[in-house]
Amino acid sequence: MATHRLALAASVLAVCTVLSRATNPGFVARITVKGLDYARQEGIAALQKELAKLKLPDFSGSFKVKFLGKVHYTFHSLNLRSFQLPSSQIAPIPNVGLKVSVANAFAQLTGKWRVKKRFVRDSGSFDLKVEGLSISIGLKLGTDTSGRPTVTTSECGTHISNVRVHISGRFGWLYNLFHKKIESSFRRTMEGKVCGAVTSSVTTKLQPYLQTVPVTAKIDKVAGIDYSLVAPPTATAQSLDMKLKGEFFSLAHRSAIPFPPPALALPADHDRMVYCGVSSYFFNTAGFVYHTAGALLFEITDAMIPKEFKFHLNTSTFSAFIPQLEKIYPDKLMKLRIKTSSAPFLTITPGNLALMPVVDIQAYVILPNSSLVPVFLLSVTSSVSAKIMVTSARIGGTLELGRLQLSLKHSDVGPFSVQLLQALMNFYGSSILIPRINARLKEGFPLPLPARVQLSNLVIQPRQNFLLFGADVRYV
């Protein structure tokens, strides 16, 4: 029995461990109160335009007047001249979503009216003012099956404090006899129309806009990035947090990454509108995918070396370090083929980003018929420092090569001292190879931003196991 319980406990622990690993994101995005307020401004401006398009129905009815009896009236041709939302707020509701509140909104309408009672007929125009209009909107956030964020209206309430109608016409004084009834009808209709417009705007404007957030981004012929949400957005008292998978994957054959993402917890910074935590897992999945695909293969030829440099890639240059090479292959051009022997692994610590890649360098002699003859194979390790750059919509970087450590794995031209090649390989690496790699890295990869959003005022900080960057947002 004890053994059975122990096995059961171990199984539960194993399952919990797997699940906890599976839920750790490779990329976390946080919208602060400052960022939510910017979104509120943009959203309210869009809602105000939609409310200004409201179409109100005609009103008709009847009322009794002493000595006249029942009088019929109609209010028609209503035209909404303006709708203003001067005061609004947004607040995250923990574990629920967002609440948007509008206060002291007002609207102005014009229209026509007419009354009819046997021989009494009159018509004219009217002006209507809606004052003290308040709107309370609840937004529920979620995620669809593809990992995109979703939003729905969970509640909408509207209240109008005051409706005032000014009537013009010969019998405008009749309005005073039934104004409460008309104003009440206007109030009920307007309140219903406003919430209808809010719900429609969320469904037809806001939700489709969220669908522009990329779930995957194709980088090149080899890889893409998975930016799908691993859980619905989470509202806290001070922010809205989103956990994204943040993982590179092979376009040819997607397979499981053989290492888990570390836990990632953003600090409570709030000076910028958004903060993003980019896990070391994000970068290391890139290294794994490109290495597995055999894409981390680079060649250096003599044509890549500027003419003014004295260390050209030929057997004459190498004769000072491997004399027998020049004797066997006199005055021949050479080629270096560089390939990672294992996936490069980026380590992020406070204030520092570093790699310790292990590569093989295969040297060839190029014969007159263009065929390649292998002459030696080196194993090379080096400390490489990395610098990450974030622009308005992309994340990229550069590398700086440290001192190389060489070991000879195989030689087809006899033994030689690899230490003598140290300076030469450092030159080829830092002057030829790294600039070409950096040119590609500087192009960067797209960030998971919705349409027409750009980042500005960026700050970048390496933390333990992740890169933190904060930014303000511009909607362009």
Side-chain angles (χ1 to χ4, degrees):
M1 180 65 71
T3 303
H4 175 72
R5 288 177 178 173
L6 183 61
L8 179 61
S11 299
V12 172
L13 180 61
V15 171
C16 291
T17 301
V18 171
L19 289 176
S20 66
R21 286 180 176 179
T23 56
N24 280 342
F27 195 107
V28 173
R30 169 173 291 169
I31 305 176
T32 64
V33 170
K34 183 179 179 182
L36 289 173
D37 191 61
Y38 179 78
R40 172 196 61 80
Q41 295 175 38
E42 294 293 332
I44 289 296
L47 178 60
Q48 183 171 285
K49 291 180 180 179
E50 291 301 310
L51 291 175
K53 301 175 185 177
L54 282 181
K55 301 297 183 184
L56 296 176
D58 296 346
F59 294 88
S60 60
S62 61
F63 63 98
K64 289 184 178 180
V65 179
K66 190 178 293 188
F67 306 121
L68 290 178
K70 187 177 290 187
V71 177
H72 298 276
Y73 66 85
T74 300
F75 284 72
H76 62 98
S77 303
L78 279 70
N79 179 29
L80 188 58
R81 303 296 297 273
S82 69
F83 207 124
Q84 300 296 318
L85 307 177
S87 177
S88 59
Q89 292 181 330
I90 189 170
I93 307 300
N95 302 316
V96 177
L98 299 171
K99 182 177 182 179
V100 181
S101 303
V102 177
N104 299 320
F106 58 91
Q108 292 182 310
L109 300 90
T110 60
K112 297 179 181 179
W113 67 277
R114 63 176 176 265
V115 294
K116 180 174 63 173
K117 171 61 178 176
R118 295 181 183 176
F119 58 89
V120 178
R121 292 177 180 270
D122 194 15
S123 62
S125 61
F126 70 89
D127 295 311
L128 183 146
K129 291 185 178 180
V130 176
E131 298 172 325
L133 188 152
S134 60
I135 312 170
S136 178
I137 308 163
L139 298 175
K140 183 180 179 181
L141 304 172
T143 178
D144 63 17
T145 55
S146 68
R148 282 188 174 87
T150 61
V151 60
T152 55
T153 307
S154 58
E155 61 173 310
C156 180
T158 306
H159 176 72
I160 296 174
S161 297
N162 190 30
V163 174
R164 292 190 298 168
V165 180
H166 175 71
I167 297 287
S168 64
R170 285 186 305 156
F171 294 101
W173 56 269
L174 284 173
Y175 170 73
N176 295 323
L177 301 177
F178 62 96
H179 70 91
K180 289 184 179 180
K181 186 174 182 180
I182 292 299
E183 290 168 2
S184 178
S185 296
F186 271 121
R187 181 181 286 108
R188 287 195 306 270
T189 301
M190 178 68 81
E191 288 173 348
K193 286 285 187 178
V194 167
C195 272
V198 167
T199 302
S200 176
S201 293
V202 171
T203 302
T204 63
K205 304 292 184 187
L206 183 55
Q207 173 59 24
Y209 180 70
L210 291 184
Q211 293 293 298
T212 68
V213 177
V215 170
T216 59
K218 183 180 178 182
I219 305 306
D220 47 34
K221 295 180 180 179
V222 176
I225 304 176
D226 187 340
Y227 280 130
S228 60
L229 287 168
V230 298
T234 303
T236 69
Q238 298 296 324
S239 66
L240 183 65
D241 292 354
M242 286 155 287
K243 297 180 179 180
L244 286 65
K245 195 168 187 65
E247 178 183 292
F248 280 72
F249 63 91
S250 170
L251 295 178
H253 176 68
R254 186 161 186 173
S255 58
I257 301 296
F259 48 87
L264 197 166
L266 295 183
D269 295 9
H270 54 78
D271 291 338
R272 300 294 195 275
M273 294 181 185
V274 296
Y275 285 91
C276 294
V278 189
S279 172
S280 56
Y281 176 83
F282 175 84
F283 300 105
N284 290 330
T285 59
F288 171 77
V289 168
Y290 282 97
H291 168 75
T292 303
L296 298 182
L297 175 65
F298 309 94
E299 292 186 344
I300 299 178
T301 64
D302 187 64
M304 298 177 182
I305 301 173
K307 292 182 180 180
E308 63 270 19
F309 286 16
K310 62 180 180 179
F311 295 115
H312 280 267
L313 195 49
N314 54 47
T315 55
S316 297
T317 298
F318 276 81
S319 65
F321 315 106
I322 313 173
Q324 64 270 32
L325 182 61
E326 169 72 7
K327 293 178 182 178
I328 301 172
Y329 301 104
D331 197 27
K332 295 291 188 297
L333 291 175
M334 297 179 65
K335 174 187 286 189
L336 299 179
R337 181 170 291 165
I338 304 162
K339 185 178 182 180
T340 53
S341 56
S342 60
F345 198 84
L346 178 69
T347 300
I348 305 179
T349 55
N352 187 53
L353 295 90
L355 301 97
M356 188 67 74
V358 180
V359 302
D360 288 339
I361 300 180
Q362 176 67 63
Y364 296 93
V365 167
I366 304 175
L367 298 181
N369 63 0
S370 299
S371 61
L372 302 177
V373 178
V375 287
F376 60 83
L377 176 64
L378 301 176
S379 177
V380 182
T381 61
S382 175
S383 60
V384 177
S385 61
K387 182 179 180 182
I388 302 297
M389 301 175 296
V390 179
T391 64
S392 61
R394 302 177 74 84
I395 181 170
T398 58
L399 302 177
E400 184 176 340
L401 187 65
R403 184 174 177 82
L404 302 180
Q405 296 179 352
L406 313 179
S407 63
L408 182 63
K409 295 183 73 172
H410 178 75
S411 174
D412 294 286
V413 292
F416 60 91
S417 174
V418 294
Q419 282 72 27
L420 297 176
L421 290 176
Q422 185 83 50
L424 185 61
M425 290 301 171
N426 267 344
F427 165 76
Y428 289 142
S430 59
S431 300
I432 309 300
L433 177 62
I434 291 297
R436 281 168 168 74
I437 295 175
N438 283 343
R440 173 64 186 91
L441 292 177
K442 285 180 181 179
E443 294 177 10
F445 315 113
L447 289 167
L449 300 175
R452 300 179 62 187
V453 165
Q454 293 184 352
L455 303 180
S456 63
N457 197 21
L458 288 129
V459 58
I460 304 175
Q461 298 175 358
R463 299 292 183 100
Q464 189 64 41
N465 294 326
F466 73 96
L467 182 78
L468 174 71
F469 72 86
D472 289 329
V473 170
R474 281 198 317 266
Y475 182 75
V476 297

